[in-house]
């Protein structure tokens, strides 16, 4: 029999609607978001970034989910339709798309994170949730939202903010909370030059993860007030949260491992370097993000592909992969793949070496290529004899090179007129 705590958490989850904010472009990912929104960017060999918050919801027992879309949403919409249709509507479960519909202003799309929710307030009211969970759709992590919900109720909070512990140097890039010893938020500052430290610490701050739990009626009240306020940017971090801290109970929830008490894994993959590093971490012997965890699976859609294949076994022409992740449909034909991640339906041809590289789906890499520390975008046909990642000056003439030296290669950069990359 489940314990009373488990029953209570289960009931809290059933009475919660999750809203995933998935309308942003993510311009720091450069050409990777020219034709798709950031949450639709492929990650980890077979997933999309949005699969992680979606999986967290389902695994936490929250099965009423709205995905708010806007920027170049076709790729994201198609992925959700194909991969997230397994919930049972007759049980009140759904993953529903909320595109910008200009309900309150015919001349504009979503103006900010708070406005995106406000424009769907009529839909939320008809569903009558007790709590509303607001999530960013562009972070990589595994989190039990049920534990956060229980903490929200136990603290009798109006709003709970999920947070991670970061160094003071890192904190300048986040929204940072000043909290008391009971985790009540006293101030919330966006990207502060001098971040407030945590109680009892001298070198650590609490940074917002962009995860919020609101009591539903309280959220509606604040959204309406924000919509009627002049000069607001209609943003949760900049406007809603600072406006409620003094009068209401705003609670900080640290995202810690429930067993060790250590900081849990969370990554913002918003830059080329961060995206490359987070994917490379998965290849490690014991990665901090365990995507092989059967107790907390990451759900997704992936087309049915044949098994990966490695062919030829000559001394100078051997199909092999070492310290790598190779997805279904890949053929490594007389080539060497080292410390790399290949998405589905990639072909690497003879006498080619690929190292420290992420290769997205449906890429063909020609013979006699040498590719190091790169991201090869979906659909690329890499010509025979191409060398990438050995001479930065040469790479910068043809491709985008990140501050950390990661070379991003897209079909356009190779002169291939593939105008739409899903």
């Amino acid at each position: 029999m489940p314990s009373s705590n488990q029953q209570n958490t289960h009931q809290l989850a059933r009475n919660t609607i999750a809203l995933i904010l998935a309308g942003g472009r993510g311009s720091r990912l450069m050409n990777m978001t020219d034709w798709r929104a950031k949450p639709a960017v492929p990650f980890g060999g077979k997933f999309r970034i949005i699969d992680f918050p979606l999986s967290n919801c389902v695994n936490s027992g929250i099965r009423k989910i709205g995905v708010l879309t806007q920027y170049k949403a076709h790729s994201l919409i198609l992925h959700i339709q194909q991969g997230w249709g397994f919930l049972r509507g007759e049980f009140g479960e759904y993953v529903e798309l909320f595109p910008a519909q200009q309900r309150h202003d015919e001349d504009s799309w979503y103006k900010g994170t708070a406005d995106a929710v406000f424009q769907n307030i009529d839909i939320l009211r008809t569903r009558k949730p007790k709590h509303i969970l607001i999530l960013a759709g562009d972070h990589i992590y595994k989190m039990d939202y049920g534990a956060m919900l229980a903490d929200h109720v136990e603290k009798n909070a109006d709003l709970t903010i999920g947070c991670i512990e970061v160094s003071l140097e890192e904190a300048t890039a986040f929204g940072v909370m000043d909290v008391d010893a009971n985790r009540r938020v006293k101030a919330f500052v966006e990207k502060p030059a001098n971040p407030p430290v945590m109680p009892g610490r001298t070198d650590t701050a609490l940074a917002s993860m962009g995860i919020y739990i609101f009591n539903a009626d309280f959220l509606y009240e604040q959204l309406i007030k924000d919509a009627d306020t002049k000069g607001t940017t209609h943003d949760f971090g900049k406007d809603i949260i600072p406006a409620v801290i003094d009068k209401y109970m705003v609670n900080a929830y640290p995202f810690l491992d429930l067993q060790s008490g250590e900081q849990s894994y969370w990554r913002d993959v918003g830059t080329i370097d961060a995206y490359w590093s987070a994917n490379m971490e998965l290849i490690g012997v014991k990665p901090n993000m365990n995507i092989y965890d059967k107790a907390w699976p990451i759900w997704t859609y992936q087309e049915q592909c044949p098994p990966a294949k490695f062919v030829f076994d000559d001394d100078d022409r051997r199909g092999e992969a070492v310290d790598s992740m190779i997805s279904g449909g890949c053929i490594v034909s007389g080539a060497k793949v080292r410390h790399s991640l290949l998405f589905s339906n990639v072909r690497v041809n003879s006498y080619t070496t690929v190292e420290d590289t992420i290769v997205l789906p449906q890429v063909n890499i020609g013979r006699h290529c040498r590719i190091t520390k790169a991201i090869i975008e979906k659909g690329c046909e890499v010509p025979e004899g191409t060398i990438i990642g050995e001479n930065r000056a040469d790479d910068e003439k043809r491709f985008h090179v990140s501050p950390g030296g990661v070379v991003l290669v897209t079909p356009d950069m190779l002169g291939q007129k593939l105008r739409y990359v899903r």
Side-chain angles (χ1 to χ4, degrees):
M1 291 290 291
S3 68
S4 59
N5 285 339
Q6 289 174 319
Q7 290 174 329
N8 290 340
T9 301
H10 177 69
Q11 192 61 38
L12 287 172
R14 286 179 58 85
N15 290 330
T16 297
I17 287 180
L19 298 177
I20 301 179
L21 303 175
R25 171 175 178 172
S27 58
R28 294 180 301 160
L29 282 175
M30 310 306 294
N31 308 76
M32 295 189 75
T33 54
D34 280 350
W35 301 101
R36 57 164 92 88
K38 180 180 173 184
V41 170
F43 184 88
K46 63 178 290 186
F47 309 105
R48 304 285 182 125
I49 293 174
I50 198 170
D51 288 327
F52 290 82
L54 280 169
S55 295
N56 288 338
C57 288
V58 171
N59 293 336
S60 299
I62 299 172
R63 302 197 170 196
K64 298 180 176 74
I65 307 164
V67 180
L68 281 62
T69 65
Q70 183 160 274
Y71 172 83
K72 294 187 178 177
H74 180 259
S75 175
L76 182 63
I77 290 170
L78 191 59
H79 175 70
I80 290 172
Q81 288 175 336
Q82 291 176 327
W84 288 91
F86 57 84
L87 298 182
R88 303 298 297 269
E90 59 266 39
F91 297 144
E93 304 174 351
Y94 54 83
V95 175
E96 190 170 320
L97 293 159
F98 290 178
Q101 297 185 50
Q102 302 171 310
R103 284 187 179 85
H104 298 278
D105 186 345
E106 294 182 358
D107 297 325
S108 68
W109 300 96
Y110 292 153
K111 299 172 185 175
T113 55
D115 182 64
V117 180
F118 173 70
Q119 288 202 34
N120 293 285
I121 196 171
D122 53 334
I123 295 175
L124 296 173
R125 280 175 162 161
T126 62
R127 308 290 170 83
K128 299 180 180 179
K130 188 170 183 180
H131 299 103
I132 296 177
L133 171 65
I134 311 289
L135 302 169
D138 54 3
H139 299 141
I140 303 298
Y141 64 107
K142 296 193 296 184
M143 182 179 185
D144 184 355
Y145 301 133
M148 185 175 171
L149 273 166
D151 187 75
H152 174 82
V153 172
E154 183 180 340
K155 292 281 187 177
N156 197 29
D158 298 294
L159 162 63
T160 294
I161 303 171
C163 52
I164 55 172
E165 299 179 3
V166 297
S167 69
L168 296 184
E169 182 179 357
E170 294 174 296
T172 58
F174 289 90
V176 177
M177 286 161 283
D178 186 12
V179 302
D180 65 19
N182 295 317
R183 293 193 275 115
R184 180 165 184 166
V185 179
K186 300 185 294 181
F188 185 96
V189 188
E190 282 281 0
K191 299 181 179 179
N194 298 298
V197 298
M198 293 175 57
R201 307 283 283 274
T202 59
D203 58 352
T204 307
L206 277 179
S208 171
M209 301 167 66
I211 297 175
Y212 314 119
I213 294 175
F214 285 89
N215 296 337
D217 290 339
F218 175 71
L219 175 61
Y220 305 151
E221 178 185 325
Q222 302 311 315
L223 291 175
I224 292 169
K225 187 183 298 183
D226 177 74
D228 292 337
T229 300
K230 291 183 179 180
T232 177
T233 61
H234 307 292
D235 184 83
F236 281 109
K238 295 177 181 177
D239 304 297
I240 298 287
I241 296 173
V244 302
I245 285 172
D246 291 339
K247 294 182 180 179
Y248 301 97
M249 178 57 187
V250 180
N251 176 43
Y253 179 80
F255 180 39
L256 303 175
D257 184 273
L258 298 179
Q259 294 182 335
S260 69
E262 299 292 326
Q263 178 64 65
S264 291
Y265 180 97
W266 181 89
R267 293 290 186 271
D268 180 350
V269 291
T271 67
I272 293 297
D273 287 329
Y275 175 84
W276 180 86
S277 295
N279 275 279
M280 288 294 107
E281 287 176 356
L282 298 179
I283 299 171
V285 177
K286 293 184 178 179
N288 291 326
M289 165 63 78
N290 180 12
I291 60 174
Y292 297 90
D293 183 1
K294 293 183 179 180
W296 199 271
I298 307 301
W299 305 90
T300 192
Y301 164 79
Q302 186 180 30
E303 63 180 301
Q304 294 298 313
C305 299
K309 183 166 68 170
F310 304 82
V311 295
F312 297 111
D313 192 22
D314 304 326
D315 288 341
D316 61 342
R317 191 188 185 200
R318 179 171 291 118
E320 60 184 14
V322 179
D323 285 339
S324 297
M325 293 174 62
I326 311 296
S327 300
C330 289
I331 299 176
V332 180
S333 176
K336 293 181 173 63
V337 178
R338 297 192 186 99
H339 197 248
S340 294
L341 193 159
L342 273 55
F343 283 73
S344 57
N345 297 317
V346 169
R347 185 179 182 109
V348 188
N349 289 288
S350 294
Y351 313 109
T352 282
T353 300
V354 175
E355 189 166 0
D356 294 331
T357 290
I358 302 164
V359 186
L360 272 62
Q362 300 171 20
V363 167
N364 183 58
I365 301 176
R367 291 184 168 202
H368 300 286
C369 294
R370 299 199 304 271
I371 301 174
T372 305
K373 200 175 182 180
I375 299 170
I376 312 298
E377 178 58 280
K378 183 176 181 178
C380 281
E381 291 279 343
V382 181
E384 181 174 340
T386 299
I387 298 174
I388 298 170
E390 295 184 7
N391 186 304
R392 184 173 182 125
D394 287 346
D395 289 333
E396 288 177 341
K397 294 175 184 177
R398 300 174 293 167
F399 312 120
H400 171 80
V401 183
S402 73
V406 179
V407 184
L408 173 62
V409 180
T410 68
D412 275 351
M413 295 172 187
L414 293 169
Q416 297 153 12
K417 301 302 180 184
L418 182 62
R419 299 302 302 170
Y420 172 63
V421 178
R422 193 179 81 79

